[in-house]
Amino acid sequence: MSDATDPWLIVGLGNPGPEYAANRHNVGFMVADLLAERVGGKFKRAQKAQAQVLEGRIGPPGPLSRRVVLAKPMSYMNLSGGPVTALRDFYKVPTDHVVAIHDELDIDYGMLRLKLGGGDNGHNGLKSMTKSMGPEYHRVRFGIGRPPGRMQVADFVLKDFSSAERKELGYLVDRAADSVESLLADGLERAQSTYNS
């Protein structure tokens, strides 16, 4: 079982490369980038995994400050499990101290849901992570809503946010980053009661 001194591995899920940067599927990367700004560091290539990582601390100075490894897997989304598991093992992070930040089709745009464990709901990044290390990691689910009309899910998640969505996106990414900080400082139940909408 994990304890308060164990590090946390915070993983933003997405696809590498500039052509994917503003896609709905890359909202996990957007939140990880904002957390990196808050930590005050830059992502570097990991030695031990196909990922970019940043080590630092999140939270106020003192006993509530948590040691974190922020990560963005540089595999494609459906292969995220390999890099995440390699980082978990290298940094000796308990699985229940792994947090995946990802887009979620079954939640309205901009809504958040935090949870521990559960299914993958058809999300290829989660499917790959669960296959590699089991389901008992935290998820910060960022709602992107369902595709309009008959648009295929794959096309929808690989499209950029609409201009209407982009108006709110900065605020919503900020709120998602806040929810990660709350999860680490206050625990899952308090973070859920504040941020689950």
Side-chain angles (χ1 to χ4, degrees):
M1 201 52 202
S2 52
D3 69 41
T5 59
D6 286 320
W8 286 79
L9 175 59
I10 313 294
V11 182
L13 293 180
N15 285 309
E19 69 272 33
Y20 298 108
N23 288 179
R24 292 182 177 92
H25 222 20
N26 270 42
V27 75
F29 275 15
M30 296 172 198
V31 177
D33 286 337
L34 179 57
L35 286 166
E37 255 177 64
R38 292 181 182 185
V39 167
K42 293 223 179 309
F43 281 103
K44 297 188 188 80
R45 246 184 85 217
Q47 299 297 308
K48 302 289 176 191
Q50 192 183 357
Q52 291 185 351
V53 294
L54 166 62
E55 293 177 63
R57 297 192 84 83
I58 281 182
L64 288 182
S65 171
R66 299 284 182 255
R67 195 155 61 91
V68 296
V69 179
L70 292 172
K72 297 192 294 185
M74 291 288 114
S75 60
Y76 284 96
M77 177 72 88
N78 59 346
L79 300 171
S80 302
V84 175
T85 303
L87 290 170
R88 179 200 66 171
D89 294 348
F90 178 71
Y91 288 102
K92 299 181 172 52
V93 177
T95 301
D96 68 351
H97 273 206
V98 176
V99 181
I101 309 164
H102 64 91
D103 57 305
E104 177 61 65
L105 287 159
D106 282 343
I107 303 173
D108 289 342
Y109 174 64
M111 301 279 126
L112 291 175
R113 297 271 163 76
L114 282 70
K115 64 184 264 193
L116 173 63
D120 56 55
N121 214 14
H123 191 287
N124 288 332
L126 297 183
K127 203 174 283 185
S128 177
M129 283 180 61
T130 297
K131 191 173 172 192
S132 282
M133 60 184 194
E136 288 306 307
Y137 53 91
H138 286 85
R139 299 101 193 275
V140 174
R141 304 157 75 206
F142 187 110
I144 60 169
R146 282 262 158 210
R150 295 178 170 214
M151 186 189 288
Q152 294 295 312
V153 164
D155 296 333
F156 180 68
V157 299
L158 294 176
K159 278 207 179 337
D160 290 0
F161 286 100
S162 69
S163 54
E165 288 170 334
R166 281 199 300 273
K167 289 192 176 94
E168 282 186 285
L169 186 59
Y171 163 76
L172 296 170
V173 166
D174 197 61
R175 192 165 179 270
D178 289 348
S179 79
V180 173
E181 293 190 359
S182 172
L183 170 64
L184 271 54
D186 307 322
L188 180 61
E189 279 184 30
R190 279 187 63 187
Q192 284 174 325
S193 67
T194 306
Y195 291 98
N196 278 16
S197 35

